[in-house]
Amino acid sequence: MSASSTGHAERARLRAAEEAAERIGTTLDARTTCTELARFVCRSLCDAAAVELLPDDAVPDAAAPDDAVPAAEHPAADPAAAVARATLHRVATEGRAHLLEADRGGAPALVSVPLLAHGHLHGVLRAARADGGFTADETATLHHAARLAAVHLAHARRHAAARRTALDLQRALLAEPGRPHPNVELATRYLPADRGALVGGDWCEAIRLHYGRTLLVMGDVMGHGLEAAVEMSAYRAALRYVASAELPPHRVLRQLDAVVARDDRRRPATCLLAQLDPARSIASFASAGHLPPVVFGADGSARLLAVPAGPPLGTGAGGYELVTSALTPADTLLMFTDGLVERRGEDIDASLSRLAGLRLPAGAAPADLLDEALRRLGGRHVEDDVAVLAARIRGR
């Protein structure tokens, strides 16, 4: 081969490598990466391509069911042997798919390339061509694209594992709120955001007090991820301790703020407290920078309660005010975090007005009222986490 031909081949391989780096792995989604790989190789290398993956929960037992695979943590030295032993699931197909079903021994030409990264087998790329086999340069490009995709698949799976861990920790830390007194009916929901970074520090709580009273809590730690979840748990524990003294809500916030302010590593948090007193049919509120609650009347109409928002917890500034409002067995109290109402580019007053304009089914149970409010406000498709609770005093 002449020097000019060699140089031309080298430049072609370099362009192919650059194009592969640009087109494969644009997201942290494994299926998207597989689709990008199949599309790339079908552009100029083959007529049809398929990408098959090992499932995330590969079963290392030799007696595993058909839909499982042997462990691929340490694949055999021969990648082809590892691929032959693995049960894979096709997740992406491009080109003339029927070519991929042909017998290996006849036309069309079919090549299988393992998706190997850092010694771990993630799946296999299968490429088919109707008019003859693959050249050495084409095979090298297929292997390069497969290795590149495998690295992105490894990143995607690590990211997915980290997200699952964060969600599991959030659920474990969040847990179910405590039980209120039997004279209060309570329903809660927690919805992690379907987009964005991991999870937030939204939480709610119910604490029994003496004389049939119940303290309801709605809080939101600033930030997202594991750190926010851990901070949320610390706030929750501190609040339970302070609330055991059975102080009015504004004094509970004052003491909690003082406790948190002693540690400058703590993240600020907003918090809304509501102390329900069924015997007197009243509720007392205090807010640390949190959005106000809403009360739905017997006819299903809503009204925002004007609760002055003091400084967020952790500032050490104090200055929380107590507000008392009538709350009858016909009323349903709704407390929530900002993810329920806030929308990007919208003023918060407009967001709260939209909530106050809701008219929910009259007499609906708290759980049904929550579900309907979430449906009307699109709470299951928002960009931030949502914690929300509905409470109603039981009639005697």
Side-chain angles (χ1 to χ4, degrees):
M1 181 181 291
S2 65
S4 61
S5 298
T6 302
H8 177 75
E10 290 291 340
R11 287 192 296 272
R13 283 196 293 268
L14 180 59
R15 284 195 299 270
E18 290 175 344
E19 185 180 1
E22 182 177 351
R23 294 181 178 275
I24 300 173
T26 60
T27 70
L28 281 173
D29 179 72
R31 288 181 177 270
T32 301
T33 298
C34 292
T35 301
E36 291 168 347
L37 172 61
R39 288 175 179 171
F40 169 77
V41 299
C42 278
R43 285 171 60 87
S44 58
L45 296 173
C46 60
D47 298 312
V51 181
E52 299 172 334
L53 289 184
L54 290 161
D56 290 332
D57 54 347
V59 181
D61 188 355
D66 291 339
D67 62 346
V69 298
E73 290 300 313
H74 301 286
D78 181 5
V83 169
R85 291 198 309 271
T87 300
L88 303 123
H89 301 283
R90 184 167 297 180
V91 296
T93 304
E94 285 290 323
R96 292 177 284 170
H98 66 276
L99 293 176
L100 297 165
E101 308 303 331
D103 182 14
R104 290 175 181 266
L110 179 65
V111 61
S112 296
V113 182
L115 302 177
L116 284 167
H118 311 300
H120 299 289
L121 177 66
H122 295 277
V124 61
L125 164 67
R126 304 194 193 278
R129 175 181 282 177
D131 56 352
F134 295 86
T135 67
D137 284 347
E138 290 169 340
T139 302
T141 301
L142 286 172
H143 279 268
H144 172 77
R147 285 195 299 271
L148 179 64
V151 170
H152 287 294
L153 287 172
H155 292 165
R157 286 180 164 173
R158 282 197 294 269
H159 174 76
R163 180 175 175 82
R164 285 194 299 270
T165 299
L167 287 170
D168 290 342
L169 177 59
Q170 173 78 0
R171 294 187 184 101
L173 293 175
L174 186 64
E176 289 293 325
R179 293 182 179 180
H181 273 283
N183 54 19
V184 174
E185 187 178 358
L186 181 68
T188 63
R189 299 285 186 273
Y190 172 72
L191 304 175
D194 56 358
R195 296 190 298 272
L198 300 178
V199 296
D202 298 23
W203 57 287
C204 58
E205 183 61 282
I207 302 172
R208 288 192 184 197
L209 303 175
H210 288 100
Y211 310 114
R213 297 171 301 158
T214 295
L215 181 67
L216 301 178
V217 186
M218 183 62 64
D220 187 358
V221 178
M222 294 180 64
H224 293 81
L226 292 174
E227 295 85 356
V230 172
E231 284 290 305
M232 175 271 295
S233 181
Y235 269 101
R236 190 175 192 170
L239 179 82
R240 288 172 175 168
Y241 173 75
V242 174
S244 65
E246 305 215 11
L247 301 170
H250 65 301
R251 294 184 59 188
V252 172
L253 288 180
R254 188 185 308 164
Q255 290 207 14
L256 184 59
D257 177 57
V259 169
V260 174
R262 297 190 192 110
D263 188 350
D264 56 10
R265 297 171 298 178
R266 287 285 182 84
R267 298 186 179 200
T270 65
C271 187
L272 174 67
L273 301 185
Q275 188 181 99
L276 307 189
D277 189 344
R280 300 166 60 194
S281 294
I282 62 172
S284 302
F285 300 91
S287 172
H290 204 86
L291 294 178
V294 173
V295 173
F296 288 91
D299 60 353
S301 62
R303 60 186 174 93
L304 282 171
L305 297 184
V307 180
L313 297 173
T315 63
Y320 306 110
E321 299 181 37
L322 184 68
V323 172
T324 300
S325 175
L327 192 70
T328 71
D331 299 324
T332 303
L333 173 68
L334 187 74
M335 299 166 63
F336 51 91
T337 55
D338 53 12
L340 179 66
V341 294
E342 282 189 346
R343 300 295 179 266
R344 185 177 300 178
E346 181 181 71
D347 185 80
I348 187 59
D349 290 334
S351 303
L352 291 174
S353 296
R354 183 172 58 252
L355 172 60
L358 290 182
R359 193 177 187 91
L360 300 181
D368 296 333
L369 185 145
L370 275 189
D371 292 336
E372 183 65 15
L374 287 169
R375 187 186 69 81
R376 298 267 193 96
L377 297 171
R380 299 184 183 276
H381 305 283
V382 296
E383 298 177 349
D384 197 4
D385 300 347
V386 175
V388 59
L389 69 79
R392 178 183 299 164
I393 294 174
R394 296 183 188 274
R396 296 183 181 181

